[in-house]
Amino acid sequence: RDGISLLEDGGVVNQQSIDIYGNDISQCGDDGIEADFSMGNVRVHHNRVTDCFIAISSQPSLGGPTYFYRNVVYNSVYQAFKLQRSSVGDVLYHNTVVKPGDAFNVITSDVFSRATSRNNIFIGGPAGTYNGFSNGDGRVVYLPSSDSTCDFNYDGFGSIGTGSFVGRIGATNFTGLAQLQSQTTESNAVQLDLSVFAEVPSIPANPVEEHAPPDLALASGSAAIDRGVALAGFNDAFTGGSPDLGAYEWGKATPVYGVGGNLGVDDSVVLL
């Protein structure tokens, strides 16, 4: 049910300085990558996760930093990132997410803290209930259990086919991009739609069917280009005036995932 999984609860021993990268994971009944009970400097990066109930789990990160960067997620039915059981110290950089329901949601009553996000693309769409689990209302972001130590900014959001741009971060509800920018830490957020991609994907009409992973490279002139912020060690080789949002910098080689793959000639494994 999980594609890759660390140890949990009483079985955990010294889960530090672990890299999970370059994988092509699909059709998991639970988590594509379960990085639960990470104890510091665990790095989940340059993976492609398709058709999984939850793409990447951090339930919980035990203080972190637990890094999730340059991952590509398509059709995570419930949540893209599961920051639950009072997770602490999650770092989300340069991920691309296209999924049904809420674009970026953490559905839990357990308060999570010290999470940071930068330069991600989160695009959601019509919501539904699957095996008793609702994936939201098509909100662009829904993080009611994030506390004041969390810092989200420079991310791109969209909700396709819902006719709305609403959400919640902590106790703050917002309607529209202007309120997201003025009332939350996302002061540099941008509103996106599927036209940011060179090959325009669709939000799966039936999330529990099998789908071929789409190419989510950015289109020339995309609204996600040059809208990010420089992050030392993570996007030093960006082109243009600023880094692009999402997993792929426009004009650079995209990774080949899975056995025999590569991370792309312009990417390096960041060892922190």
Side-chain angles (χ1 to χ4, degrees), residues 20-214:
I20 300 171
Y21 66 96
N23 300 285
D24 200 4
I25 299 171
S26 63
Q27 299 181 60
C28 294
D30 195 9
D31 307 324
I33 298 173
E34 185 180 88
D36 297 357
F37 289 83
S38 297
M39 296 177 171
N41 285 328
V42 172
R43 299 164 291 258
V44 178
H45 60 99
H46 293 88
N47 300 284
R48 182 169 64 181
V49 182
T50 308
D51 291 345
C52 294
F53 191 63
I54 293 164
I56 298 173
S57 175
S58 183
Q59 182 183 251
S61 166
L62 298 178
T66 305
Y67 295 95
F68 304 99
Y69 62 96
R70 295 205 186 275
N71 299 289
V72 176
V73 174
Y74 181 72
N75 190 34
S76 56
V77 178
Y78 186 44
Q79 300 175 103
F81 293 96
K82 183 170 63 175
L83 314 181
Q84 297 185 183
R85 294 182 70 177
S86 301
S87 194
V88 180
D90 296 295
V91 180
L92 282 63
Y93 290 163
H94 280 291
N95 300 287
T96 296
V97 174
V98 177
K99 65 180 292 294
D102 296 339
F104 179 24
N105 59 359
V106 177
I107 303 173
T108 180
S109 59
D110 298 326
V111 173
F112 65 95
S113 59
R114 302 189 184 279
T116 302
S117 73
R118 294 289 188 274
N119 301 354
N120 301 286
I121 293 175
F122 298 108
I123 298 181
T129 299
Y130 304 92
N131 198 31
F133 292 89
S134 169
N135 58 15
D137 296 321
R139 295 161 290 211
V140 295
V141 57
Y142 184 66
L143 308 172
S145 294
S146 60
D147 74 7
S148 61
T149 65
C150 295
D151 184 8
F152 312 107
N153 203 359
Y154 288 94
D155 297 311
F157 300 96
S159 183
I160 308 305
T162 63
S164 66
F165 190 95
V166 301
R168 177 177 171 181
I169 297 178
T172 302
N173 292 284
F174 65 87
T175 300
L177 178 63
Q179 287 188 7
L180 172 62
Q181 293 172 329
S182 64
Q183 298 179 15
T184 77
T185 58
E186 284 281 3
S187 57
N188 296 282
V190 296
Q191 185 169 353
L192 304 175
D193 59 32
L194 294 173
S195 68
V196 298
F197 303 114
E199 298 182 13
V200 178
S202 60
I203 304 295
N206 185 354
V208 295
E209 290 182 341
E210 181 180 359
H211 303 86

Side-chain angles (χ1 to χ4, degrees), residues 226-255:
D226 288 354
R227 299 307 299 265
V229 64
L231 302 167
F234 291 90
N235 56 19
D236 299 314
F238 70 84
T239 60
S242 297
D244 302 337
L245 303 184
Y248 303 140
E249 184 80 5
W250 183 80
K252 296 212 168 181
T254 56

